[in-house]
Amino acid sequence: MPYRACVWDLDGTLLNTLPTILYYCNQSLAHFGLHSIAMEDCRDLCRLPISHFYHRLLRLGGCPEQDVERLQPAIRDYDCASYLKDFSHLTEPYEGIRETLEALRDMGVKNAVLTNKPDALAHSLIEQFFGDLMEACVGQTPQTISKPDPRSMDRVLEVLDVQRGKILYVGDTDVDMQTARNTGTAAAAACWGYQELSQLMPYSPAHVVHTPRDVIEIFRR
């Protein structure tokens, strides 16, 4: 088996969180007197780290440019507080994900999550939907480094005790493809997520997976 661990992106790869993120973003924009955004706008937001997410959200909601920096902390805090009250509202795992994680575990493969989602929220979602199927979950805190920085994988490597060359990283965005390239891990481009395959192929992923179950076949080879 060429790989010993499978590291997963969260939003758009393990869980379809797009309806949830859109719901709370539009609640937050309305609270600050701004207009709602469309699903496609939200889809683009999902590839951004938190440091850029709310600045972009405010601009999409029609916030005057001179107010963006001032309002960013307030809308971030409001949105996160609202989200945490019912973080799984409208969220569902993609079809076949849980079965794939179970099959990999039974094969002796270590599963983990690397996401730019806030760390506490990422852990809560993984616990609710996947329980003990994940051996590690690394999200964002003020002290951690966002994907696609080469250092973003360091904590995962430390917890799993697996070499970079033995890791398959599965993600659905160009940021994920860049993360795999920058961290020296093999990329698997997930076709069911938030970006089109044509946006991922310029990064020459080692694998293309059309369904979660395709990941099992990679580990069986």
Side-chain angles (χ1 to χ4, degrees):
M1 184 187 299
Y3 306 119
R4 292 183 52 219
C6 189
V7 180
W8 302 79
D9 171 52
L10 181 57
D11 297 283
T13 303
L14 291 172
L15 296 174
N16 183 9
T17 56
L18 191 59
T20 311
I21 296 169
L22 178 65
Y23 175 80
Y24 286 115
C25 280
N26 282 337
Q27 271 200 347
S28 298
L29 288 168
H31 178 79
F32 287 91
L34 302 170
H35 64 70
S36 62
I37 63 172
M39 183 72 80
E40 285 307 308
D41 291 326
C42 190
R43 193 185 305 273
D44 290 338
L45 281 172
C46 287
R47 60 182 293 278
L48 299 178
I50 290 177
S51 57
H52 297 149
F53 184 98
Y54 291 102
H55 292 81
R56 179 64 179 153
L57 175 63
L58 285 165
R59 292 183 176 101
L60 287 170
C63 179
E65 187 61 35
Q66 65 270 20
D67 295 331
V68 168
E69 197 64 35
R70 176 179 61 84
L71 285 178
Q72 185 271 331
I75 195 170
R76 178 197 62 207
D77 292 348
Y78 182 89
D79 185 56
C80 289
S82 299
Y83 204 129
L84 286 171
K85 289 177 182 176
D86 189 5
F87 55 82
S88 60
H89 178 60
L90 303 176
T91 289
E92 294 288 344
Y94 285 101
E95 182 179 357
I97 282 290
R98 186 171 182 86
E99 295 82 355
T100 296
L101 294 174
E102 290 172 345
L104 293 176
R105 178 199 59 192
D106 294 344
M107 294 166 63
V109 175
K110 297 180 177 181
N111 286 301
V113 173
L114 176 62
T115 176
N116 280 344
K117 208 173 193 70
D119 190 66
L121 181 53
H123 275 87
S124 296
L125 285 165
I126 292 303
E127 177 63 27
Q128 175 171 333
F129 288 103
F130 305 119
D132 60 358
L133 290 173
M134 291 292 175
E135 297 196 24
C137 178
V138 176
Q140 287 296 290
T141 72
Q143 292 75 40
T144 54
I145 298 166
S146 301
K147 300 182 297 183
D149 189 283
R151 297 165 291 175
S152 60
M153 188 73 71
D154 288 354
R155 178 59 180 160
V156 177
L157 296 169
E158 179 183 338
V159 174
L160 296 184
D161 191 26
V162 175
Q163 296 177 344
R164 296 173 187 272
K166 297 293 185 179
I167 286 180
L168 180 70
Y169 183 62
V170 185
D172 66 299
T173 69
D174 56 348
V175 172
D176 295 319
M177 301 300 100
Q178 293 171 47
T179 300
R181 182 185 62 192
N182 293 347
T183 60
T185 58
C191 297
W192 58 85
Y194 297 165
Q195 285 191 265
E196 298 293 331
L197 181 59
S198 60
Q199 296 173 286
L200 310 185
M201 290 308 293
Y203 300 94
S204 303
H207 308 275
V208 174
V209 286
H210 295 275
T211 71
R213 294 179 184 88
D214 290 344
V215 177
I216 301 172
E217 296 307 314
I218 294 174
F219 280 88
R220 282 180 176 161
R221 292 173 193 166

